[in-house]
Coordinates of all heavy atoms in Angstrom, one line a residue:
S17 N 86.9 98.7 95.2 CA 85.9 99.7 95.4 C 86.3 100.9 96.2 O 86.8 100.7 97.4 CB 84.6 99.1 96.1 OG 83.6 100.1 96.3
R18 N 86.2 102.0 95.7 CA 86.6 103.2 96.4 C 85.4 103.7 97.4 O 85.8 104.6 98.2 CB 86.8 104.4 95.4 CG 87.9 104.1 94.4 CD 88.2 105.3 93.6 NE 89.2 105.0 92.6 CZ 90.5 104.9 92.8 NH1 91.0 105.0 94.0 NH2 91.4 104.5 91.8
N19 N 84.3 103.2 97.3 CA 83.2 103.6 98.2 C 83.0 102.7 99.4 O 83.1 103.1 100.5 CB 81.9 103.7 97.4 CG 82.0 104.8 96.3 OD1 82.7 105.8 96.5 ND2 81.3 104.6 95.3
D20 N 82.8 101.4 99.1 CA 82.6 100.4 100.2 C 83.6 99.4 100.1 O 83.5 98.5 99.3 CB 81.2 99.8 100.1 CG 80.8 99.0 101.3 OD1 81.4 99.2 102.4 OD2 79.9 98.1 101.2
H21 N 84.7 99.5 100.9 CA 85.9 98.7 100.7 C 85.6 97.3 101.1 O 85.0 96.9 102.1 CB 87.0 99.3 101.5 CG 87.3 100.7 101.2 ND1 87.9 101.1 100.1 CD2 87.1 101.8 102.0 CE1 88.0 102.4 100.1 NE2 87.5 102.9 101.3
H22 N 86.1 96.3 100.3 CA 86.2 94.9 100.7 C 87.5 94.3 100.2 O 88.0 94.7 99.1 CB 84.9 94.1 100.2 CG 84.8 94.1 98.7 ND1 84.3 95.2 97.9 CD2 85.2 93.2 97.8 CE1 84.3 94.8 96.7 NE2 84.9 93.6 96.6
A23 N 88.0 93.4 100.9 CA 89.3 92.8 100.6 C 89.1 91.4 100.0 O 88.2 90.6 100.5 CB 90.2 92.6 101.7
V24 N 89.8 91.0 99.0 CA 89.9 89.7 98.4 C 91.3 89.1 98.7 O 92.3 89.7 98.5 CB 89.6 89.7 96.9 CG1 89.8 88.4 96.3 CG2 88.2 90.4 96.6
I25 N 91.2 88.0 99.4 CA 92.5 87.3 99.8 C 92.7 86.0 98.9 O 91.8 85.3 98.8 CB 92.4 87.0 101.3 CG1 92.2 88.2 102.1 CG2 93.7 86.2 101.7 CD1 92.0 87.9 103.6
T26 N 93.9 85.9 98.4 CA 94.3 84.7 97.6 C 95.4 84.0 98.4 O 96.3 84.6 99.0 CB 94.7 85.0 96.2 OG1 95.9 85.9 96.2 CG2 93.6 85.7 95.4
A27 N 95.3 82.6 98.4 CA 96.3 81.9 99.0 C 97.7 81.9 98.4 O 97.8 82.3 97.2 CB 95.8 80.4 99.1
P28 N 98.7 81.6 99.0 CA 100.1 81.6 98.4 C 100.1 80.7 97.2 O 99.6 79.5 97.2 CB 101.0 81.1 99.5 CG 100.3 81.3 100.8 CD 98.8 81.2 100.4
G29 N 100.6 81.2 96.1 CA 100.7 80.4 94.8 C 99.4 80.3 94.1 O 99.4 79.6 93.1
G30 N 98.4 80.9 94.5 CA 97.1 80.7 93.9 C 96.5 82.0 93.3 O 96.9 83.1 93.7
N31 N 95.4 81.9 92.5 CA 94.7 83.1 92.0 C 93.2 83.1 92.4 O 92.6 84.1 92.2 CB 94.9 83.1 90.5 CG 96.2 83.6 90.1 OD1 96.9 84.4 90.7 ND2 96.7 83.1 88.9
A32 N 92.8 82.0 93.0 CA 91.4 81.9 93.4 C 91.2 82.7 94.7 O 91.9 82.5 95.7 CB 91.0 80.5 93.5
A33 N 90.2 83.5 94.8 CA 89.8 84.1 96.0 C 89.3 83.2 97.1 O 88.5 82.3 96.7 CB 88.8 85.2 95.7
M34 N 89.7 83.4 98.3 CA 89.2 82.5 99.4 C 87.9 83.0 99.9 O 87.6 84.2 99.9 CB 90.2 82.6 100.5 CG 91.6 82.1 100.1 SD 92.9 82.3 101.4 CE 92.4 80.9 102.5
D35 N 87.0 82.1 100.2 CA 85.5 82.5 100.6 C 85.5 82.5 102.1 O 85.6 81.4 102.7 CB 84.5 81.6 100.0 CG 83.1 82.0 100.3 OD1 82.9 83.1 100.9 OD2 82.2 81.2 99.9
F36 N 85.3 83.6 102.8 CA 85.2 83.7 104.2 C 83.8 83.8 104.7 O 83.5 84.1 105.9 CB 86.0 84.8 104.7 CG 87.5 84.6 104.5 CD1 88.1 85.3 103.5 CD2 88.2 83.6 105.1 CE1 89.5 85.0 103.2 CE2 89.5 83.4 104.9 CZ 90.2 84.1 103.9
G37 N 82.8 83.9 103.8 CA 81.4 84.1 104.1 C 81.1 85.4 104.8 O 81.5 86.4 104.4
I38 N 80.5 85.3 106.0 CA 80.2 86.6 106.7 C 81.4 87.2 107.3 O 81.4 88.4 107.8 CB 79.2 86.3 107.8 CG1 79.7 85.3 108.9 CG2 77.9 85.8 107.3 CD1 78.9 85.3 110.1
Y39 N 82.6 86.5 107.3 CA 83.8 87.1 107.9 C 84.7 87.8 106.9 O 85.8 88.1 107.2 CB 84.7 86.0 108.6 CG 83.9 85.3 109.7 CD1 83.3 84.1 109.5 CD2 83.6 86.0 110.9 CE1 82.6 83.5 110.5 CE2 82.9 85.4 111.9 CZ 82.4 84.2 111.7 OH 81.7 83.6 112.8
W40 N 84.1 88.0 105.7 CA 84.9 88.7 104.6 C 85.3 90.1 105.1 O 84.5 90.9 105.6 CB 83.9 88.9 103.5 CG 84.7 89.0 102.2 CD1 85.3 90.1 101.7 CD2 84.8 88.0 101.2 NE1 85.8 89.9 100.5 CE2 85.5 88.6 100.1 CE3 84.5 86.7 101.1 CZ2 85.9 87.9 99.0 CZ3 84.8 86.0 99.9 CH2 85.5 86.6 98.9
P41 N 86.6 90.4 104.9 CA 87.1 91.7 105.5 C 86.5 92.9 104.7 O 86.6 92.9 103.5 CB 88.5 91.7 105.2 CG 88.9 90.3 105.0 CD 87.7 89.6 104.4
R42 N 85.8 93.8 105.4 CA 85.2 95.0 104.8 C 85.4 96.2 105.7 O 85.6 96.1 106.8 CB 83.6 94.8 104.7 CG 83.2 93.6 103.8 CD 81.7 93.5 103.9 NE 81.3 92.2 103.3 CZ 80.9 92.1 102.1 NH1 80.9 93.1 101.3 NH2 80.6 90.9 101.6
S43 N 85.2 97.3 105.1 CA 85.2 98.6 105.8 C 84.3 99.6 105.1 O 84.1 99.5 103.9 CB 86.5 99.1 106.1 OG 87.1 99.5 104.9
T44 N 83.8 100.7 105.8 CA 83.0 101.7 105.2 C 84.0 102.8 104.6 O 85.1 102.8 104.9 CB 82.1 102.3 106.2 OG1 82.8 102.9 107.2 CG2 81.1 101.2 106.8
V45 N 83.3 103.8 103.9 CA 84.1 104.9 103.4 C 84.7 105.6 104.6 O 85.9 106.0 104.5 CB 83.2 105.7 102.6 CG1 83.9 107.0 102.1 CG2 82.7 105.0 101.3
V46 N 83.9 105.8 105.6 CA 84.4 106.6 106.8 C 85.6 105.9 107.4 O 86.6 106.5 107.8 CB 83.3 106.8 107.8 CG1 83.7 107.4 109.1 CG2 82.2 107.5 107.1
E47 N 85.5 104.5 107.5 CA 86.7 103.8 108.2 C 87.9 103.8 107.2 O 89.0 103.9 107.7 CB 86.2 102.4 108.4 CG 85.2 102.3 109.5 CD 84.6 100.8 109.6 OE1 84.4 100.1 108.6 OE2 84.5 100.4 110.7
G48 N 87.7 103.7 106.0 CA 88.7 103.8 105.0 C 89.4 102.4 104.7 O 89.1 101.4 105.3
A49 N 90.1 102.4 103.6 CA 90.8 101.2 103.0 C 91.7 100.7 104.0 O 92.0 99.4 104.1 CB 91.4 101.5 101.8
A50 N 92.4 101.5 104.8 CA 93.5 101.0 105.7 C 92.9 100.1 106.8 O 93.5 99.1 107.1 CB 94.2 102.2 106.4
I51 N 91.7 100.3 107.2 CA 91.0 99.5 108.2 C 90.6 98.2 107.6 O 90.8 97.1 108.2 CB 89.7 100.2 108.7 CG1 90.1 101.4 109.5 CG2 88.9 99.2 109.6 CD1 90.9 101.2 110.7
C52 N 90.2 98.2 106.4 CA 90.0 97.0 105.6 C 91.2 96.1 105.5 O 91.2 94.9 105.7 CB 89.4 97.3 104.2 SG 88.7 95.9 103.3
L53 N 92.3 96.7 105.2 CA 93.5 96.0 105.1 C 94.0 95.4 106.4 O 94.4 94.3 106.4 CB 94.6 97.0 104.6 CG 96.0 96.4 104.3 CD1 95.9 95.4 103.2 CD2 97.0 97.5 103.9
E54 N 93.8 96.1 107.5 CA 94.1 95.6 108.8 C 93.2 94.5 109.2 O 93.7 93.5 109.7 CB 93.8 96.7 109.9 CG 94.9 97.8 109.9 CD 94.6 98.9 110.9 OE1 93.8 98.6 111.9 OE2 95.1 100.0 110.8
R55 N 92.0 94.5 108.8 CA 91.0 93.4 109.1 C 91.5 92.2 108.3 O 91.3 91.0 108.7 CB 89.6 93.8 108.8 CG 89.1 94.8 109.8 CD 87.7 95.2 109.5 NE 87.3 96.2 110.5 CZ 86.4 97.0 110.4 NH1 85.6 97.1 109.2 NH2 86.0 97.9 111.4
A56 N 91.9 92.3 107.0 CA 92.3 91.2 106.1 C 93.6 90.6 106.8 O 93.7 89.4 106.8 CB 92.6 91.8 104.7
M57 N 94.5 91.4 107.2 CA 95.8 91.0 107.8 C 95.5 90.2 109.1 O 96.1 89.1 109.4 CB 96.7 92.0 108.1 CG 97.3 92.6 106.8 SD 98.4 94.0 107.2 CE 99.1 94.4 105.5
A58 N 94.5 90.6 109.9 CA 94.1 89.9 111.1 C 93.5 88.6 110.8 O 93.8 87.5 111.5 CB 93.1 90.7 112.0
L59 N 92.8 88.5 109.7 CA 92.1 87.2 109.3 C 93.3 86.3 108.8 O 93.2 85.1 109.1 CB 91.1 87.5 108.2 CG 90.3 86.3 107.7 CD1 89.6 85.7 108.9 CD2 89.3 86.8 106.7
I60 N 94.2 86.8 108.1 CA 95.4 85.9 107.7 C 96.1 85.4 108.8 O 96.6 84.2 109.0 CB 96.2 86.7 106.7 CG1 95.5 86.9 105.4 CG2 97.5 85.9 106.5 CD1 96.2 87.9 104.4
D61 N 96.4 86.3 109.9 CA 97.1 85.9 111.1 C 96.3 84.7 111.8 O 96.9 83.8 112.2 CB 97.2 87.0 112.1 CG 98.2 88.0 111.7 OD1 99.1 87.7 110.9 OD2 98.1 89.2 112.1

Side-chain angles (χ1 to χ4, degrees):
S17 179
R18 298 188 186 282
N19 297 329
D20 190 24
H21 306 291
H22 63 278
V24 174
I25 301 172
T26 58
N31 286 328
M34 301 173 75
D35 185 6
F36 297 106
I38 63 170
Y39 300 106
W40 204 282
R42 299 175 191 269
S43 68
T44 63
V45 174
V46 175
E47 292 172 322
I51 297 297
C52 186
L53 184 61
E54 287 177 19
R55 290 176 180 161
M57 290 178 175
L59 187 56
I60 292 170
D61 287 339

